[in-house]
Amino acid sequence: MPELFDAVDALLASRATLPPPAERKRLRAAHGLTIDEVATALKVRRATVSGWESGKTEPRPPERDAYARLLDGLAKLYPVDVIVDATAVAAAPVDVIVDTAVVAAAPVDEAPVPDTPTGPTAPRPPQPQTVDTPTPSARKAAPAGAPATGGPDTRFANGPLAVVDVDGSGQVVAYCPGGLVLEVPAKSLPSLVEWTLTEGELGQPKLSGPGKDADPLLVLTEAALERFGLPVTLTAEERAAGRIPEGHKIVKQLTRAQWQLTKRGFGPWARIYRPATGSERACVQLCIPSWDALDFRHWGAAASLPPAELARVLGIFAARVMTPRGSTAVTGLELMTALHPPTRASEPDQDGKRHSEHNPGSLGKEPVDPAPCEAIDGHPLLKDLPRFHVRGPAEKIFEEAYDWARPLTDDECLRGNLVGIDVNMAFAAGANGLTVGLGAPTHVKNPVFDPKLPGAWLVDLSHVDLSRVKAGKEWVELRGDLLPSPFTPKGDRPAGPAWYATPTVAYAVELGYDIASAEAYVRYESGRFLDGWYNRLRDAYLATMADLGVHADTAPEEFLAAMDGYRNRDPELAIVVSAIKATVKGGLGKLRERPRGEGWRPGEPWRALARPTWRPDICAAVISRTRVNLHRKVVKHAAFTGQYPVAILSDCVVYAVDGTSPLDFLPYRQGKPLPGGFKLGVNPGLVKHEGTQTVLWGEGIREQHEAPELNLARYIKAGVVSDADNGE
């Protein structure tokens, strides 16, 4: 009899109606499950579960039966409890009603994008249409394809941000990423801030348990700036200062209304707040695109987008990464803190009260001094050095990305082309799984090297010979003269003792060479602080690339075809991709932020040093790991194919080959890449085609600029070298 029941259950499951993709994702997230956990349980690939949740594919038996059973059980544990205004739904067009249902089912921090075409033939979103509702604020339909945000948390029903504009009738309106356009009754900037905090229902839930909800973000268009009495553009003096004068009438208005500004004043990313009372925060972030808040290098043409489309771009970024807190660099750094807040609430004491305590795994609440070798030039720790003293490798850690090139060999000159490949999200991949120091360094003399102990080590690696290295358990013979050293950014062989981060020294040991450290600054309190940061940015990147038609785990030929012109399929989503990449690099760069004027002099502290997240040691460790990861792949490729790179710039590698595509020299066998070598794909750490130029082009520009070792990786994509690029 049990066998019969099992058979009946199987029949029911095989015909079971699965919930829509957004609901599948909501149920998984509600139970705290990751895509990897579901994939492992169902014995399928991660990309398969991702496809089920995005609606691009549907499960088939026998996995469908088990997946339906999982979703059914989760649905009983986490039913959707949504109260919808019937009058508003009745008055709304069909597409708005569908979006409302998706919003209700979606978790706030994983807002889905409705299934609209994103390929080259996708139509442009229609203009907003007015929807009459009984609420005080008129609501309009957003462009098709806008991400649905909001969710069960009614505090932030209208999403994390709004683009404030003035319509043709002179009415101030706020375009929300979830599809609403709200009428704003505010007549002044102070009243706009009040409206945002009392009626706007804007903001974003915290990204971690001990964290804080994100403050609402208001993006002010030029029309809104004029309406509220702010300049449309900054003068040269204001641009240099990064703010409008403290005596400006709008600043005075805010002061009279008992609002305050941060020390940075009223600039492109102004923060307006009142001191918190208990756990209640009263703070609004402003973004002013016409004041260059959205850097063209990272946000492309976002500043010139119409309000609804700008709300869509920023809304997708906010839903997948976080609400922007400033430049992409600032946002990258803030994301680290949002995922690992420095403090948390303690367990109740004898009186039942909770207190603030250190949050394990975070960087803490107080800044720590770096080791002297980790301090950048001008740091207060170095104030006793002679004025014009230049520190060498034995005094200062030089962990930087590659900028290396060499002349072509005679055989390479006979090749037809130079083909560049670029590592996707290379620095993010370098941060993944990396153990970093959490506290202050400890100075140790003659230490025994421990690859699991983060720190800086004074080691002589000049004896490492790249012509004979270990690849796994076997020694291999290589053309060491055609390889860059993995220990210096310029690829030169070390001349003597130098300071290195742990990943660099660990790689020397991996290559089969003994090392002896004279001294070290190590951090015994350590952890994988950047894991959550990496996961958040990786998922944001992969989800956005999937929307652009580039999916994970595709065949190499399909991947190259999908990457061809992917930015043109949806230029707005391409902006999001660019911003995500900039968030990675900028966030890591902020870990060792240098002085930014303000009358600073060498030997004096600067503002960034007061942050617990000013950690040049963590930045050095990520760069070190990224560089040795790339070198490891180069060595694997050389040992197997006999091919050597002619140039490397950061995460781009150039080879001289006969073909024009990466598939003409990457050693794929039956669709499988060389283990430990380069693999084509969209995931962080995999590579894409960067560009192809002829060997004659490369030799020609080197001869033209009289630079035999001009780094061709810098120009392989565009094929053009300007005088500015060459430093002339």
Side-chain angles (χ1 to χ4, degrees):
M1 187 64 72
E3 293 81 3
L4 294 177
F5 288 164
D6 292 340
V8 170
D9 288 343
L11 287 174
L12 290 173
S14 66
R15 300 296 189 271
T17 301
L18 297 176
E23 176 66 0
R24 301 171 196 175
K25 179 184 284 189
R26 184 192 75 83
L27 291 171
R28 173 181 60 76
H31 201 60
L33 298 175
T34 65
I35 292 179
D36 290 325
E37 289 174 326
V38 175
T40 301
L42 300 179
K43 298 182 179 179
V44 297
R45 296 182 304 167
R46 184 184 192 280
T48 302
V49 178
S50 180
W52 295 346
E53 292 189 351
S54 66
K56 292 180 171 61
T57 59
E58 288 295 321
R60 299 178 180 178
E63 291 82 12
R64 179 188 173 91
D65 306 353
Y67 191 50
R69 187 182 184 91
L70 171 65
L71 295 176
D72 182 62
L74 293 176
K76 293 176 181 177
L77 292 173
Y78 309 99
V80 179
D81 184 14
V82 182
I83 300 175
V84 181
D85 186 332
T87 307
V89 172
V94 174
D95 61 341
V96 175
I97 296 175
V98 172
D99 284 350
T100 303
V102 173
V103 168
V108 177
D109 60 343
E110 291 190 58
V113 178
D115 292 328
T116 56
T118 58
T121 59
R124 295 295 298 162
Q127 293 300 312
Q129 300 175 349
T130 302
V131 178
D132 296 327
T133 70
T135 59
S137 300
R139 303 188 176 191
K140 307 175 185 178
T149 59
D153 195 334
T154 57
R155 297 175 301 157
F156 312 128
N158 294 330
L161 56 90
V163 179
V164 180
D165 191 30
V166 180
D167 64 18
S169 65
Q171 172 65 50
V172 178
V173 291
Y175 290 80
C176 303
L180 302 177
V181 180
L182 309 177
E183 289 186 357
V184 181
K187 304 298 182 183
S188 66
L189 190 62
S191 61
L192 175 64
V193 175
E194 293 280 3
W195 172 86
T196 302
L197 295 172
T198 56
E199 301 179 45
E201 297 182 351
L202 296 171
Q204 190 175 35
K206 57 189 177 183
L207 296 180
S208 65
K212 299 176 181 178
D213 296 332
D215 298 318
L217 172 66
L218 296 181
V219 184
L220 303 183
T221 66
E222 294 184 7
L225 292 173
E226 292 179 341
R227 170 62 62 89
F228 295 119
L230 288 163
V232 172
T233 58
L234 298 178
T235 65
E237 294 78 9
E238 292 168 345
R239 193 180 301 275
R243 67 186 76 183
I244 60 177
E246 294 183 3
H248 194 281
K249 62 179 182 180
I250 297 303
V251 177
K252 292 180 178 179
Q253 276 186 14
L254 293 169
T255 302
R256 286 196 298 270
Q258 298 182 335
W259 290 104
Q260 299 181 27
L261 295 167
T262 60
K263 292 182 180 180
R264 293 196 180 275
F266 202 121
W269 288 95
R271 293 185 67 78
I272 303 172
Y273 72 99
R274 284 178 181 146
T277 56
S279 61
E280 294 296 324
R281 289 170 56 84
C283 183
V284 173
Q285 175 94 53
L286 299 185
C287 168
I288 306 178
S290 64
W291 293 7
D292 297 331
L294 301 175
D295 192 323
F296 182 83
R297 295 171 299 174
H298 309 142
W299 289 100
S304 60
L305 290 175
E309 296 180 21
L310 180 56
R312 179 197 179 213
V313 168
L314 295 176
I316 294 174
F317 182 88
R320 294 178 176 175
V321 181
M322 71 178 300
T323 304
R325 290 287 306 273
S327 65
T328 49
V330 170
T331 301
L333 193 70
E334 290 290 335
L335 180 62
M336 297 179 194
T337 303
L339 294 169
H340 279 289
T343 59
R344 67 178 184 182
S346 67
E347 293 296 326
D349 60 17
Q350 295 179 351
D351 299 326
K353 295 182 179 180
R354 297 179 183 269
H355 307 276
S356 177
E357 66 177 14
H358 173 70
N359 184 26
S362 74
L363 298 182
K365 199 172 182 179
E366 300 298 327
V368 297
D369 283 334
C373 62
E374 296 166 344
I376 64 177
D377 293 337
H379 193 280
L381 285 177
L382 310 175
K383 63 182 179 181
D384 294 331
L385 289 178
R387 183 176 180 184
F388 297 106
H389 178 74
V390 178
R391 294 186 295 160
E395 298 174 276
K396 175 183 176 182
I397 191 168
F398 282 90
E399 294 289 8
E400 300 291 347
Y402 266 130
D403 186 357
W404 167 87
R406 62 170 176 81
L408 273 65
T409 64
D410 292 343
D411 179 65
E412 289 167 341
C413 288
L414 299 177
R415 303 291 179 182
N417 297 294
L418 299 170
V419 180
I421 52 177
D422 182 79
V423 182
N424 296 311
M425 302 269 283
F427 292 100
N432 181 31
L434 177 64
T435 300
V436 299
L438 301 178
T442 300
H443 188 214
V444 183
K445 286 284 190 179
N446 300 315
V448 176
F449 176 69
D450 183 352
K452 297 181 180 179
L453 191 59
W457 309 77
L458 183 60
V459 184
D460 188 351
L461 298 179
S462 59
H463 65 291
V464 177
D465 184 4
L466 294 180
S467 62
R468 187 173 185 271
V469 299
K470 264 192 174 182
K473 296 182 179 180
E474 298 181 356
W475 289 89
V476 296
E477 304 290 337
L478 299 172
R479 285 285 306 274
D481 58 318
L482 300 182
L483 287 171
S485 168
F487 310 126
T488 62
K490 289 293 184 181
D492 301 326
R493 189 167 181 168
W499 286 98
Y500 302 100
T502 297
T504 300
V505 184
Y507 186 55
V509 175
E510 179 184 328
L511 291 176
Y513 290 86
D514 295 329
I515 61 98
S517 178
E519 59 179 309
Y521 288 90
V522 297
R523 288 172 167 82
Y524 294 108
E525 182 186 359
S526 61
R528 291 167 58 162
F529 171 72
L530 294 173
D531 273 10
W533 183 81
Y534 162 77
N535 291 333
R536 181 84 176 173
L537 290 164
R538 175 204 60 195
D539 292 347
Y541 174 72
L542 292 180
T544 311
M545 290 299 290
D547 290 340
L548 286 165
V550 185
H551 302 281
D553 297 329
T554 58
E557 297 84 356
E558 296 174 2
F559 168 72
L560 291 175
M563 286 294 294
D564 187 16
Y566 77 93
R567 291 181 175 275
N568 299 326
R569 294 173 197 149
D570 190 329
E572 293 170 13
L573 285 179
I575 291 174
V576 177
V577 171
S578 175
I580 293 171
K581 291 180 177 180
T583 301
V584 172
K585 290 187 177 181
L588 293 172
K590 275 282 185 179
L591 291 170
R592 60 174 182 187
E593 182 179 359
R594 299 179 183 277
R596 302 176 62 185
E598 301 177 346
W600 174 81
R601 293 182 179 181
E604 297 178 350
W606 58 94
R607 184 179 302 179
L609 300 187
R611 297 193 319 250
T613 49
W614 194 83
R615 293 294 301 272
D617 57 297
I618 295 179
C619 182
V622 173
I623 295 174
S624 164
R625 192 163 187 249
T626 302
R627 193 181 65 248
V628 300
N629 281 349
L630 182 60
H631 194 274
R632 185 181 293 110
K633 295 179 187 296
V634 166
V635 168
K636 288 279 187 181
H637 185 86
F640 187 80
T641 67
Q643 297 170 335
Y644 294 83
V646 299
I648 303 177
L649 181 68
S650 186
D651 47 12
C652 176
V653 188
V654 177
Y655 285 89
V657 297
D658 287 324
T660 60
S661 164
L663 287 175
D664 292 324
F665 71 95
L666 294 184
Y668 274 84
R669 289 185 174 181
Q670 298 179 346
K672 295 183 178 181
L674 172 68
F678 296 109
K679 177 183 178 182
L680 289 165
V682 71
N683 295 72
L686 306 189
V687 299
K688 64 179 183 292
H689 184 204
E690 181 69 1
T692 297
Q693 305 292 337
T694 65
V695 168
L696 290 177
W697 164 87
E699 291 297 276
I701 63 172
R702 282 181 166 179
E703 182 178 347
Q704 176 186 350
H705 292 274
E706 299 180 352
E709 296 185 0
L710 182 72
N711 196 329
L712 300 175
R714 190 184 305 276
Y715 316 107
I716 193 71
K717 187 172 186 177
V720 178
V721 182
S722 68
D723 290 342
D725 290 334
N726 201 31
E728 297 179 5

